[in-house]
Amino acid sequence: MEKRLNNRLNMYRVVRDYLNSNMHLLNHFPGLKETTDSFTTILAIIAELNKDKSTATVGSSNKKAFTREQLEDRTLEASKILKAYATFTDKIKLLDGCDVTSSQLSRFAEQALLTKSSIIIEYAETHQAGAEPYGMTNERVNALKKAYAEFDEKQTLVRSAIVNRKNAGEQLEARMEEADNILKGKLDVLMELASFSLPELYNQYKGARVIVDR
């Protein structure tokens, strides 16, 4: 949460705590208890949204990095085997198509890596029998296909997490405005009544309403 909103949220929490701790002196004001309860509920929702906004992509991104590394390793391994097979069987087209380096794979954007890996998978499946003496076993082909599928899936999950984070941010803003409306439109109005009979409590409330820049 950006600093501006965080400072506002801290003020909301101070007001909530002040009202709840002094409710036994204030609950004779009509609707104050119910309004404070609604305010408290919204602050709990804001806390959850803020947590979702902050952490939505962390776990997914870490998993994506791991599955990318797996796919790069499997793709490079298959490429080296196919390159050896193509070299000693004079398959020039295969040699050109399967040649890729570790540094190239690591620099590829996600979709480019998936595209190159799918090409290597196609070559591996097509030439598996002939390249088996060089190490292109069915198990190795399946491991490459599995690494491809896992990375492709994590790509989707990370995109979903980014969308969820954006949605959480938009909901957070809306809930902050909702809390502000309750504070200014209801709680402040009710607490103005306390200034007549409970001036000290009212002054303390005004102190709680101050936004501290941290």
Side-chain angles (χ1 to χ4, degrees):
M1 183 184 291
E2 63 181 85
K3 182 180 178 181
R4 173 183 60 86
L5 293 179
N6 195 59
N7 288 337
R8 272 175 59 194
L9 180 57
N10 286 334
M11 181 269 287
Y12 294 160
R13 287 168 173 162
V14 172
V15 169
R16 173 203 62 195
D17 293 344
Y18 175 78
L19 290 172
N20 283 324
S21 64
N22 289 282
M23 190 56 65
H24 62 290
L25 300 172
L26 300 166
N27 60 10
H28 60 283
F29 293 116
L32 182 62
K33 176 68 167 62
E34 294 77 10
T35 305
T36 302
D37 288 346
S38 296
F39 189 64
T40 299
T41 298
I42 291 172
L43 295 191
I45 294 171
I46 288 171
E48 285 301 311
L49 289 171
N50 189 41
K51 183 170 67 175
D52 291 345
K53 183 175 183 293
S54 301
T55 63
T57 61
V58 174
S60 296
S61 295
N62 289 341
K63 291 176 183 177
K64 188 181 80 168
F66 174 75
T67 56
R68 175 175 182 130
E69 182 179 341
Q70 291 288 99
L71 180 57
E72 287 181 13
D73 290 346
R74 296 293 187 186
T75 300
L76 184 63
E77 187 179 75
S79 171
K80 289 179 178 179
I81 292 170
L82 289 168
K83 185 177 179 180
Y85 167 68
T87 297
F88 288 95
T89 55
D90 294 324
K91 296 185 182 299
I92 305 302
K93 183 178 179 181
L94 173 61
L95 185 61
D96 291 339
C98 73
D99 193 20
V100 68
T101 66
S102 176
S103 60
Q104 286 174 331
L105 290 173
S106 65
R107 290 197 302 268
F108 278 151
E110 284 83 357
Q111 193 55 51
L113 175 60
L114 286 168
T115 299
K116 186 62 179 180
S117 297
S118 68
I119 292 171
I120 298 298
I121 288 171
E122 184 179 348
Y123 283 142
E125 289 181 321
T126 301
H127 299 282
Q128 186 276 318
E132 188 163 10
Y134 297 86
M136 189 59 74
T137 62
N138 280 317
E139 292 77 14
R140 184 163 270 131
V141 175
N142 289 334
L144 173 56
K145 291 166 68 176
K146 181 182 177 184
Y148 177 94
E150 288 179 348
F151 181 64
D152 189 35
E153 179 186 12
K154 290 299 180 294
Q155 282 285 98
T156 301
L157 290 175
V158 169
R159 285 194 294 270
S160 296
I162 290 171
V163 170
N164 289 340
R165 182 177 181 180
K166 182 176 183 292
N167 289 341
E170 291 173 350
Q171 291 181 53
L172 179 61
E173 289 272 5
R175 289 294 188 171
M176 288 288 286
E177 287 305 311
E178 187 176 353
D180 211 48
N181 289 337
I182 289 177
L183 182 62
K184 294 176 180 177
K186 293 183 177 181
L187 292 175
D188 283 354
V189 172
L190 287 169
M191 287 304 295
E192 284 284 346
L193 301 177
S195 66
F196 305 140
S197 56
L198 299 166
E200 185 176 346
L201 283 180
Y202 177 66
N203 287 333
Q204 290 171 358
Y205 174 79
K206 287 200 300 182
R209 285 282 280 108
V210 174
I211 297 177
V212 179
D213 188 10
R214 296 178 180 176

